[in-house]
Amino acid sequence: MPDDVPHGPKHGTNTGHGFATRMAHGGRPGVREHGFVNTPVHRGSTVLYPSCEARGALNARSLEQVMTYGTAGGPTHFALENMVAEIEGGTRALITGTGLAACTLPLMAYLSAGEHCLIPDSVYGPTRRVAEGMLKRFGIETSYYDPTIDAAGLQALLRPNTKVLYTESPGSHTFEMQDIPALAEVAHAHGAKVLMDNTWGIHHFQPFTKGVDVSIQALTKYVGGHSDVLLGSVTVASEEDWVRVASAAREIGHYASPDDCWLALRGLRSMPMRLKHQYEAGLAVARWFEGRPEVLRVIHPALPSHPQHALFKRDFTGGCSLFGVVFQPRYDVKQINAVVDGLKLFGIGASWGGYESLALPTTQYITRTATDAGVLQGPTVRFHIGLEETADLIADLEAGLDGLPR
């Protein structure tokens, strides 16, 4: 491992300091080191070796943080890997070029032709497309399950060839919470691996204390934080899972730009403050929506009105600023889209986690094949709350809703 790569959690630098302190000081030279405060960008493809013997020795350690070729990463990648592993509570992390790549990689790593995968019906849409496209072409069968399923219900769905239980809590667009510890216990007793898209719960849900084997993050969101980078990560806690995932990444050729990794490292420095502010602002806006007559329900796991709020309180220490609003069924999609079009401070965009607020109509983007429980009774919009003044956002929303007929 190069001397200029700050060591990560595998090397014992988790001092017990608070989250914000660890994000400010991790993955960079120490405060008593001479030089620039930030880890530099290391770009490169070819790696030179001092001898043939050294090349052979380093290539034998290709799954470690050693420089063998550009696609295996360099010091900038390694610093980000260590920081993400620290956040997720794992031992090793691998950086991918996009969040979707992070969703896809472990599916490819753990599944083979003739095997079976269970995926929640509320899963992120592009992950469903992977299951219906690439996995199906490769002879891998996927079954979709009710995201609120209990242990007994999951047990009934497991097959002899079920190798992966995929989870996402809360679910995409509809925000169902899953009982991850209970589901993981059943899956592990069956010999299946538990994968989790933990993007919504970054930092606030510690996956490896809840039975998850592989945790997936879209670093595009809060880690980047400024809507200018695409990245993902796959984190594990065991050496066995690291070998499985990292080997698959090398075989497929996964790679992330070191410039994007550097931007993500920069984003991490302020993420604790942004995440805290945006979570609190999101709750304030969500509570305001609950008081509006135009709204049927607000879907935010941190609200007591959420059906699985007890799971949120048990397993999460906080959350993020993304939630859903279901409007009264007396309004149609066209009317609600007009409200969104008229907002002055909310962009219409598919990502989230950045500094800017977003409003995204989702009614026509909710797919259900296992249950109709996620089909909501009115037009829906997904809101992401950014760093603007909360009072300004509420005033913007109020002006929009006041234009709807009573």
Side-chain angles (χ1 to χ4, degrees):
M1 184 173 181
D3 291 338
D4 56 351
V5 179
H7 291 181
K10 186 178 180 184
H11 307 281
T13 60
N14 187 346
T15 60
H17 289 140
F19 181 47
T21 303
R22 287 183 280 127
M23 292 303 98
H25 287 265
R28 67 172 179 84
V31 295
R32 295 294 178 263
E33 299 291 328
H34 176 258
F36 289 125
V37 67
N38 286 315
T39 302
V41 180
H42 292 259
R43 303 181 187 90
S45 56
T46 299
V47 173
L48 298 179
Y49 302 85
S51 67
C52 294
E53 181 181 3
R55 182 173 185 267
L58 286 172
N59 283 343
R61 300 168 54 204
S62 62
L63 298 186
E64 300 177 31
Q65 287 181 328
V66 296
M67 295 173 62
T68 56
Y69 184 67
T71 53
T76 313
H77 297 89
F78 301 155
L80 181 58
E81 289 172 357
N82 292 339
M83 291 286 282
V84 173
E86 167 83 13
I87 295 167
E88 294 272 72
T91 55
R92 297 292 299 272
L94 186 144
I95 308 302
T96 62
T98 66
L100 179 57
C103 296
T104 305
L105 173 61
L107 290 171
M108 301 302 296
Y110 288 102
L111 290 165
S112 301
E115 293 180 342
H116 177 241
C117 175
L118 285 166
I119 291 180
D121 219 13
S122 56
V123 73
Y124 174 53
T127 303
R128 184 186 285 264
R129 287 201 296 270
V130 170
E132 294 302 300
M134 183 182 297
L135 296 189
K136 185 176 289 187
R137 291 197 304 273
F138 289 172
I140 298 164
E141 186 178 0
T142 299
S143 296
Y144 299 95
Y145 64 92
D146 183 340
T148 63
I149 200 169
D150 61 12
L154 177 63
Q155 183 68 54
L157 296 179
L158 291 167
R159 304 177 186 176
N161 63 337
T162 304
K163 301 300 180 183
V164 165
L165 172 68
Y166 195 95
T167 64
E168 183 178 335
S169 183
S172 187
H173 293 330
T174 45
F175 300 94
E176 298 93 339
M177 299 298 294
Q178 297 193 262
D179 191 342
I180 300 297
L183 300 182
E185 184 177 2
V186 173
H188 288 156
H190 184 80
K193 288 291 183 179
V194 179
L195 280 49
M196 181 178 183
D197 185 335
N198 189 35
T199 303
W200 193 95
I202 188 167
H203 168 62
H204 290 297
F205 183 89
Q206 290 293 293
F208 303 109
T209 66
K210 306 294 191 299
V212 174
D213 298 301
V214 179
S215 186
I216 296 158
Q217 284 286 342
L219 304 181
T220 305
K221 315 304 187 197
Y222 290 99
V223 174
H226 295 79
S227 303
D228 56 4
V229 62
L230 290 165
L231 284 175
S233 66
V234 180
T235 305
V236 300
S238 78
E239 187 64 20
E240 175 189 357
D241 288 316
W242 173 251
V243 170
R244 190 72 173 260
V245 169
S247 296
R250 301 292 187 266
E251 292 167 6
I252 297 171
H254 272 290
Y255 180 71
S257 160
D259 294 81
D260 288 344
C261 290
W262 186 88
L263 285 171
L265 283 166
R266 185 176 68 172
L268 279 173
R269 308 306 176 195
S270 64
M271 187 182 77
M273 300 301 104
R274 289 185 285 104
L275 193 60
K276 181 177 185 294
H277 172 85
Q278 289 177 261
Y279 172 55
E280 292 172 352
L283 270 176
V285 175
R287 292 186 183 113
W288 176 84
F289 268 121
E290 282 197 311
R292 292 293 302 198
E294 303 89 352
V295 172
L296 178 64
R297 58 181 290 226
V298 179
I299 320 172
H300 193 314
L303 293 176
S305 58
H306 191 283
Q308 294 91 43
H309 178 64
L311 289 178
F312 173 82
K313 288 184 66 177
R314 185 192 72 185
D315 293 341
F316 287 68
T317 59
C320 73
S321 59
L322 190 76
F323 61 92
V325 174
V326 185
F327 290 92
Q328 294 285 355
R330 64 176 177 268
Y331 303 116
D332 59 28
V333 171
K334 184 176 180 180
Q335 287 174 303
I336 299 304
N337 284 355
V339 171
V340 172
D341 285 344
L343 295 174
K344 302 295 189 289
L345 299 178
F346 288 79
I348 304 171
S351 195
W352 46 277
Y355 62 88
E356 79 290 8
S357 292
L358 300 171
L360 185 71
T362 55
T363 304
Q364 297 163 314
Y365 298 92
I366 297 172
T367 301
R368 285 293 186 275
T369 56
T371 173
D372 62 0
V375 179
L376 304 168
Q377 284 67 51
T380 60
V381 178
R382 189 184 74 182
F383 288 92
H384 161 65
I385 304 304
L387 294 174
E388 303 92 343
E389 294 288 342
T390 306
D392 292 336
L393 296 175
I394 289 175
D396 192 24
L397 292 165
E398 187 170 31
L401 295 189
D402 284 346
L404 287 171
R406 298 299 181 202

